[in-house]
PDB file of all heavy atoms in Angstrom:
ATOM      1  N   HIS Z 721       4.379 -39.370 -11.487  1.00 78.00           N
ATOM      2  CA  HIS Z 721       3.601 -40.186 -10.546  1.00 78.00           C
ATOM      3  C   HIS Z 721       2.241 -39.562 -10.246  1.00 78.00           C
ATOM      4  O   HIS Z 721       1.703 -39.685  -9.139  1.00 78.00           O
ATOM      5  CB  HIS Z 721       4.377 -40.376  -9.223  1.00 78.00           C
ATOM      6  CG  HIS Z 721       5.731 -40.992  -9.408  1.00 78.00           C
ATOM      7  ND1 HIS Z 721       5.921 -42.300  -9.821  1.00 78.00           N
ATOM      8  CD2 HIS Z 721       6.989 -40.469  -9.280  1.00 78.00           C
ATOM      9  CE1 HIS Z 721       7.215 -42.562  -9.910  1.00 78.00           C
ATOM     10  NE2 HIS Z 721       7.885 -41.462  -9.596  1.00 78.00           N
ATOM     11  N   ASN Z 742     -16.987 -37.103 -31.432  1.00 56.00           N
ATOM     12  CA  ASN Z 742     -16.928 -36.723 -30.016  1.00 56.00           C
ATOM     13  C   ASN Z 742     -15.565 -37.020 -29.401  1.00 56.00           C
ATOM     14  O   ASN Z 742     -15.456 -37.237 -28.197  1.00 56.00           O
ATOM     15  CB  ASN Z 742     -18.017 -37.471 -29.234  1.00 56.00           C
ATOM     16  CG  ASN Z 742     -19.409 -37.098 -29.686  1.00 56.00           C
ATOM     17  OD1 ASN Z 742     -19.707 -35.932 -29.873  1.00 56.00           O
ATOM     18  ND2 ASN Z 742     -20.263 -38.105 -29.879  1.00 56.00           N
ATOM     19  N   SER Z 757      -6.036 -33.904 -10.880  1.00 77.00           N
ATOM     20  CA  SER Z 757      -6.649 -32.592 -10.652  1.00 77.00           C
ATOM     21  C   SER Z 757      -6.362 -31.692 -11.848  1.00 77.00           C
ATOM     22  O   SER Z 757      -5.393 -31.905 -12.598  1.00 77.00           O
ATOM     23  CB  SER Z 757      -6.094 -31.946  -9.385  1.00 77.00           C
ATOM     24  OG  SER Z 757      -4.744 -31.564  -9.572  1.00 77.00           O
ATOM     25  N   MET Z 813      -3.920 -19.295 -22.773  1.00 88.00           N
ATOM     26  CA  MET Z 813      -4.920 -20.201 -23.339  1.00 88.00           C
ATOM     27  C   MET Z 813      -5.062 -21.433 -22.453  1.00 88.00           C
ATOM     28  O   MET Z 813      -4.110 -21.863 -21.814  1.00 88.00           O
ATOM     29  CB  MET Z 813      -4.505 -20.662 -24.746  1.00 88.00           C
ATOM     30  CG  MET Z 813      -4.314 -19.572 -25.763  1.00 88.00           C
ATOM     31  SD  MET Z 813      -3.856 -20.237 -27.392  1.00 88.00           S
ATOM     32  CE  MET Z 813      -5.378 -21.044 -27.900  1.00 88.00           C
ATOM     33  N   ILE Z 913     -27.484   0.322  -1.611  1.00 95.00           N
ATOM     34  CA  ILE Z 913     -28.481   0.436  -2.688  1.00 95.00           C
ATOM     35  C   ILE Z 913     -29.735   1.012  -2.048  1.00 95.00           C
ATOM     36  O   ILE Z 913     -30.403   0.359  -1.249  1.00 95.00           O
ATOM     37  CB  ILE Z 913     -28.754  -0.935  -3.339  1.00 95.00           C
ATOM     38  CG1 ILE Z 913     -27.446  -1.477  -3.954  1.00 95.00           C
ATOM     39  CG2 ILE Z 913     -29.832  -0.814  -4.407  1.00 95.00           C
ATOM     40  CD1 ILE Z 913     -27.566  -2.864  -4.551  1.00 95.00           C
ATOM     41  N   VAL Z 920     -32.979   4.848  -8.005  1.00 92.00           N
ATOM     42  CA  VAL Z 920     -32.333   3.986  -7.015  1.00 92.00           C
ATOM     43  C   VAL Z 920     -30.846   4.348  -7.009  1.00 92.00           C
ATOM     44  O   VAL Z 920     -30.161   4.174  -8.023  1.00 92.00           O
ATOM     45  CB  VAL Z 920     -32.512   2.489  -7.344  1.00 92.00           C
ATOM     46  CG1 VAL Z 920     -31.835   1.628  -6.287  1.00 92.00           C
ATOM     47  CG2 VAL Z 920     -33.991   2.137  -7.462  1.00 92.00           C
ATOM     48  N   GLY Z1027      -7.341 -11.684  32.876  1.00 96.00           N
ATOM     49  CA  GLY Z1027      -7.816 -10.307  32.968  1.00 96.00           C
ATOM     50  C   GLY Z1027      -8.673  -9.968  31.763  1.00 96.00           C
ATOM     51  O   GLY Z1027      -8.827 -10.778  30.836  1.00 96.00           O
ATOM     52  N   CYS Z1166      -2.917  10.214  -0.042  1.00 92.00           N
ATOM     53  CA  CYS Z1166      -2.547   9.421  -1.218  1.00 92.00           C
ATOM     54  C   CYS Z1166      -1.070   9.658  -1.557  1.00 92.00           C
ATOM     55  O   CYS Z1166      -0.658  10.806  -1.790  1.00 92.00           O
ATOM     56  CB  CYS Z1166      -3.418   9.811  -2.405  1.00 92.00           C
ATOM     57  SG  CYS Z1166      -2.932   9.025  -3.965  1.00 92.00           S
ATOM     58  N   GLU Z1171       1.550  16.281  -1.442  1.00 91.00           N
ATOM     59  CA  GLU Z1171       2.373  17.478  -1.588  1.00 91.00           C
ATOM     60  C   GLU Z1171       2.283  18.324  -0.322  1.00 91.00           C
ATOM     61  O   GLU Z1171       1.287  18.281   0.401  1.00 91.00           O
ATOM     62  CB  GLU Z1171       1.922  18.301  -2.806  1.00 91.00           C
ATOM     63  CG  GLU Z1171       0.495  18.787  -2.725  1.00 91.00           C
ATOM     64  CD  GLU Z1171       0.060  19.542  -3.969  1.00 91.00           C
ATOM     65  OE1 GLU Z1171       0.742  19.405  -4.999  1.00 91.00           O
ATOM     66  OE2 GLU Z1171      -0.962  20.253  -3.910  1.00 91.00           O
ATOM     67  N   HIS Z1194      -1.013  17.323   2.069  1.00 89.00           N
ATOM     68  CA  HIS Z1194      -2.355  16.897   1.663  1.00 89.00           C
ATOM     69  C   HIS Z1194      -2.236  16.197   0.316  1.00 89.00           C
ATOM     70  O   HIS Z1194      -1.170  16.199  -0.312  1.00 89.00           O
ATOM     71  CB  HIS Z1194      -3.332  18.083   1.618  1.00 89.00           C
ATOM     72  CG  HIS Z1194      -3.183  18.928   0.375  1.00 89.00           C
ATOM     73  ND1 HIS Z1194      -4.207  19.667  -0.146  1.00 89.00           N
ATOM     74  CD2 HIS Z1194      -2.127  19.133  -0.466  1.00 89.00           C
ATOM     75  CE1 HIS Z1194      -3.788  20.295  -1.240  1.00 89.00           C
ATOM     76  NE2 HIS Z1194      -2.539  20.002  -1.443  1.00 89.00           N
ATOM     77  N   CYS Z1201      -6.459   7.874  -6.282  1.00 82.00           N
ATOM     78  CA  CYS Z1201      -7.288   8.050  -5.077  1.00 82.00           C
ATOM     79  C   CYS Z1201      -8.695   8.522  -5.425  1.00 82.00           C
ATOM     80  O   CYS Z1201      -9.410   9.029  -4.554  1.00 82.00           O
ATOM     81  CB  CYS Z1201      -6.632   9.039  -4.116  1.00 82.00           C
ATOM     82  SG  CYS Z1201      -6.367  10.694  -4.795  1.00 82.00           S
ATOM     83  N   GLU Z1214      -5.469   5.188  21.822  1.00 96.00           N
ATOM     84  CA  GLU Z1214      -5.354   5.709  23.176  1.00 96.00           C
ATOM     85  C   GLU Z1214      -5.399   4.493  24.103  1.00 96.00           C
ATOM     86  O   GLU Z1214      -6.431   3.848  24.234  1.00 96.00           O
ATOM     87  CB  GLU Z1214      -6.532   6.655  23.443  1.00 96.00           C
ATOM     88  CG  GLU Z1214      -6.629   7.172  24.861  1.00 96.00           C
ATOM     89  CD  GLU Z1214      -7.818   8.115  24.998  1.00 96.00           C
ATOM     90  OE1 GLU Z1214      -7.760   9.223  24.429  1.00 96.00           O
ATOM     91  OE2 GLU Z1214      -8.823   7.738  25.651  1.00 96.00           O
ATOM     92  N   GLN Z1245      -1.066   8.409  25.946  1.00 94.00           N
ATOM     93  CA  GLN Z1245      -1.175   9.327  24.811  1.00 94.00           C
ATOM     94  C   GLN Z1245      -2.626   9.319  24.344  1.00 94.00           C
ATOM     95  O   GLN Z1245      -3.158   8.281  23.961  1.00 94.00           O
ATOM     96  CB  GLN Z1245      -0.252   8.877  23.671  1.00 94.00           C
ATOM     97  CG  GLN Z1245      -0.246   9.824  22.476  1.00 94.00           C
ATOM     98  CD  GLN Z1245       0.617   9.302  21.333  1.00 94.00           C
ATOM     99  OE1 GLN Z1245       0.496   8.158  20.938  1.00 94.00           O
ATOM    100  NE2 GLN Z1245       1.500  10.147  20.823  1.00 94.00           N
ATOM    101  N   GLY Z1272     -10.862  17.587  23.195  1.00 46.00           N
ATOM    102  CA  GLY Z1272     -10.432  17.070  24.478  1.00 46.00           C
ATOM    103  C   GLY Z1272     -10.053  15.616  24.479  1.00 46.00           C
ATOM    104  O   GLY Z1272      -9.538  15.105  25.454  1.00 46.00           O
TER     105      GLY Z1272
END
Side-chain angles (χ1 to χ4, degrees):
H721 303 292
N742 297 315
S757 70
M813 301 181 69
I913 299 176
V920 180
C1166 174
E1171 61 183 17
H1194 79 154
C1201 60
E1214 174 179 291
Q1245 183 183 49

